[in-house]
Amino acid sequence: MLAVAMIFWMRIAALLHALYPSVQGAPLTEFLPFLVIGSIAGAVIALVIFSISAFSIPLMMERRVDVMSAVFSSFNAVKSNIPAMIVWAGIICGGILIGFATYGIGMLFTMPILGYATWHGYHATIKKHHNT
């Protein structure tokens, strides 16, 4: 499902490339439609991908549920915990930026920590609500 989303994202990026100025050294005002529409489209797609994948992988690993049940459970959990999920998305972005800033070496540390935190977030969010 995430591979299909990536292909969809690439198609949108290719379509948005039509808005890119055709001359080199064009003024910033000619880049604005490309930058604004591309940023909005990217943010919407990233929001959807984050919502459907925030808790779906731990849910599928622990409960052996089908993909669609995990996706809808993750989406509903994100929707009902928006402030915490905004903070969590920021932490993920920060961890990835640390990894990029250290030429990937930081990923050796940030990715396991983010994975561990995701598991605990899953337990605190999904598992707690299903056990009551």
Side-chain angles (χ1 to χ4, degrees), residues 25-105:
L28 181 62
T29 55
E30 290 189 31
F31 284 98
L32 284 180
F34 174 74
L35 294 173
V36 169
I37 295 171
S39 296
I40 291 170
V44 168
I45 294 169
L47 174 68
V48 170
I49 296 301
F50 175 75
S51 296
I52 67 173
S53 63
F55 298 111
S56 58
I57 294 172
L59 187 59
M60 287 188 295
M61 286 175 50
E62 185 180 46
R63 302 223 176 159
R64 305 281 184 208
V65 298
D66 62 297
V67 172
M68 293 314 291
S69 296
V71 163
F72 285 119
S73 294
S74 179
F75 183 80
N76 289 330
V78 169
K79 187 174 72 171
S80 60
N81 295 295
I82 291 175
M85 292 295 106
I86 290 171
V87 171
W88 180 234
I91 290 170
I92 292 171
C93 289
I96 291 171
L97 286 174
I98 289 170
F100 286 163
T102 59
Y103 300 102
I105 295 171

Side-chain angles (χ1 to χ4, degrees), residues 79-132:
K79 187 174 72 171
S80 60
N81 295 295
I82 291 175
M85 292 295 106
I86 290 171
V87 171
W88 180 234
I91 290 170
I92 292 171
C93 289
I96 291 171
L97 286 174
I98 289 170
F100 286 163
T102 59
Y103 300 102
I105 295 171
M107 296 282 192
L108 295 171
F109 302 99
T110 58
M111 288 299 120
I113 292 169
L114 291 173
Y116 184 72
T118 298
W119 182 255
H120 284 281
Y122 158 74
H123 276 274
T125 305
I126 303 268
K127 198 167 184 189
K128 182 175 99 174
H129 292 294
H130 284 289
N131 288 339
T132 57

